[in-house]
Amino acid sequence: MKTRQGLRYVAGLFFAALAACGANAPEGAPPVKRPQPFILGADISWVYRDEGAGAEYFDHGVKMDIFAILKKYQFNYVRLGVLVDSDQMNFDAGFNLAQLKVFSKRVKDAKMGLLLDFMLGDTWTSPEGQPKPVSWAKRPFPELAKAIHDHVKGVLLALKAQGTTPDMVQIGNEITFGLLWPDGRITSKVSTGNPDTDAHNANVTDAGGWGNLGQLLKTGIAAVKEVDPNIKIMLHHSLGRQDVLVREWLDKLAEQGVVFDIVGLSCYKQHADGDWKTTFDDIAKNYPRLGFIAVEYSEQKRFINDLVFNTAGNKGLGTFIWEPTRSQEAIFTHRPPANAARVAAAIPAAGTAPATQPDANGGRYDTNSLIDLYPVMAKDYGHP
């Protein structure tokens, strides 16, 4: 099977029900009830280390746990990034396994859904860079596929053992141009709207190609399903505004037989009004067994949530605001202390003081008026 027809067949039975929901309802008919609540999610991968630096969270002057605040304002999902070896880079925006086990318990104790984002790197990966983890750097391609399998399965088994199995899993982060470069790199002749990226793509000669990328993704997906076949699989494209590029990417993945459930889209800026809606409508119309999520956004909060929610057939499953405590149009106002400190990458042994170093991201975080949008959206979207 080829391209879209193949993707219609292989993309997961969970979303077959969504394909039939409301897309052809007669005019004036009441909306079809969603099979699951609309996701109002937040990526708070920085919070763990901010708290180690002394961060405290307040709502209208009352000190509260960050999860209690998010729940109060009707957030129902959390996204966390996991690194292969965060100690290697001492990077702030992702978890090693020990840290992830601690933080995922807080997510589940708050009775929130968990989306786990496998970076497949020692640092935050993106369309501009998908470097291999240091410990994988010299492995030949067949061993890279096994490394992904073993890493993904190992993390998930550890979480399952403590009762914090994720509800959704991403294999790779913003893998618009592949992962584990150069072995799993792909290119596109479709314009991204970024002259530097387009010029680089035109001159890349070390791309591993779609076959390599497909094999790496299928290996990671297989590891997820071996742990729990009910976990939903997301693949993440960075350019929600680029419908033609997203369509090419989905069709190529279908040709490789990559089976997944959800398209994750980064939605930060549009080139022109209507860019996001064009992409959302295309997915809803031409890939009916896939749902999609705006898995990273920040500004235009009500606008992007309404676009996702109102996409035909209930195919827009939800959104995740990117680091809402202190990034772009944050829903908290941050007052850093003069001498904050943060926890080093490794979890300290019980009863011992953590190693610290100066950091500006401790301090006080107060909710501001932007967070008030979320209870209103939750009510409008039919949250229980």
Side-chain angles (χ1 to χ4, degrees):
M1 287 176 295
K2 295 182 180 179
T3 61
R4 297 182 188 177
Q5 284 186 327
L7 197 51
R8 289 189 188 107
Y9 178 78
V10 300
L13 294 177
F14 176 76
F15 289 99
L18 289 183
C21 285
N24 299 309
E27 186 174 354
V32 177
K33 181 176 176 61
R34 287 175 173 265
Q36 60 186 32
F38 186 78
I39 292 169
L40 289 174
D43 189 317
I44 55 172
S45 297
W46 275 268
V47 165
Y48 180 88
R49 286 182 175 83
D50 287 353
E51 288 179 334
E56 297 178 323
Y57 300 91
F58 293 80
D59 180 53
H60 295 284
V62 179
K63 182 180 176 181
M64 298 174 65
D65 180 80
I66 181 67
F67 287 95
I69 294 175
L70 292 175
K71 288 280 286 187
K72 176 181 176 180
Y73 286 91
Q74 300 297 307
F75 286 86
N76 56 10
Y77 240 95
V78 166
R79 178 181 185 237
L80 303 176
V82 59
L83 307 175
V84 173
D85 184 2
S86 63
D87 293 346
Q88 192 69 241
M89 296 290 190
N90 196 24
F91 195 72
D92 278 348
F95 294 84
N96 63 30
L97 181 55
Q99 296 161 344
L100 181 66
K101 288 171 68 176
V102 172
F103 213 69
S104 64
K105 284 183 179 179
R106 293 175 64 185
V107 177
K108 292 298 185 176
D109 287 346
K111 301 188 185 309
M112 301 176 81
L114 174 59
L115 167 57
L116 185 58
D117 181 3
F118 281 95
M119 295 287 159
L120 302 179
D122 292 333
T123 187
W124 202 270
T125 51
S126 72
E128 288 75 34
Q130 295 280 338
K132 296 176 188 175
V134 170
S135 60
W136 301 2
K138 295 182 180 180
R139 298 188 185 190
F141 181 77
E143 291 186 18
L144 284 179
K146 184 177 187 302
I148 288 179
H149 176 275
D150 293 350
H151 168 62
V152 170
K153 189 170 183 177
V155 169
L156 292 179
L157 284 174
L159 296 183
K160 183 177 182 178
Q162 66 172 19
T164 60
T165 304
D167 303 277
M168 274 188 267
V169 161
Q170 278 183 234
I171 303 299
N173 187 72
E174 292 192 319
I175 58 171
T176 309
F177 303 112
L179 50 80
L180 297 183
W181 291 354
D183 299 68
R185 185 182 178 107
I186 52 94
T187 60
S188 173
K189 301 308 178 186
V190 176
S191 174
T192 66
N194 182 323
D196 292 335
T197 300
D198 290 346
H200 184 63
N201 271 336
N203 293 302
V204 167
T205 58
D206 60 354
W210 286 100
N212 278 10
L213 176 60
Q215 186 174 337
L216 294 173
L217 291 174
K218 286 186 285 188
T219 300
I221 291 168
V224 176
K225 296 304 182 180
E226 287 166 17
V227 175
D228 187 340
N230 296 311
I231 297 173
K232 302 306 170 190
I233 304 294
M234 175 187 289
L235 298 182
H236 180 190
H237 195 285
S238 65
L239 293 171
R241 65 180 182 240
Q242 283 280 353
D243 176 56
V244 176
L245 192 64
V246 172
R247 187 187 312 132
E248 176 197 48
W249 187 77
L250 291 174
D251 290 345
K252 292 288 189 180
L253 292 176
E255 289 176 356
Q256 296 302 318
V258 179
V259 181
F260 63 107
D261 306 300
I262 303 164
V263 185
L265 298 167
S266 295
C267 298
Y268 290 109
K269 298 288 185 182
Q270 299 186 90
H271 288 308
D273 288 344
D275 284 350
W276 289 334
K277 188 176 188 304
T278 297
T279 303
F280 301 167
D281 289 347
D282 192 1
I283 292 172
K285 178 180 178 181
N286 294 306
Y287 306 91
R289 294 187 185 276
L290 286 174
F292 74 89
I293 291 173
V295 75
E296 291 184 21
Y297 77 96
S298 185
E299 300 175 2
Q300 296 182 274
K301 293 172 172 55
R302 180 74 205 222
F303 177 71
I304 185 66
N305 275 278
D306 281 351
L307 279 180
V308 176
F309 180 80
N310 290 316
T311 299
N314 291 339
K315 302 308 295 299
L317 305 181
T319 66
F320 285 82
I321 184 173
W322 172 257
E323 189 41 58
T325 60
R326 57 182 174 93
S327 179
Q328 298 184 55
E329 288 187 352
I331 58 179
F332 288 78
T333 300
H334 181 209
R335 288 185 285 173
N339 295 302
R342 67 172 178 177
V343 187
I347 297 290
T352 63
T356 60
Q357 66 186 78
D359 187 80
N361 295 312
R364 177 168 174 151
Y365 294 78
D366 286 87
T367 56
N368 60 41
S369 60
L370 289 172
I371 202 171
D372 294 329
L373 293 168
Y374 288 86
V376 178
M377 288 191 288
K379 180 179 178 181
D380 291 346
Y381 302 157
H383 276 205

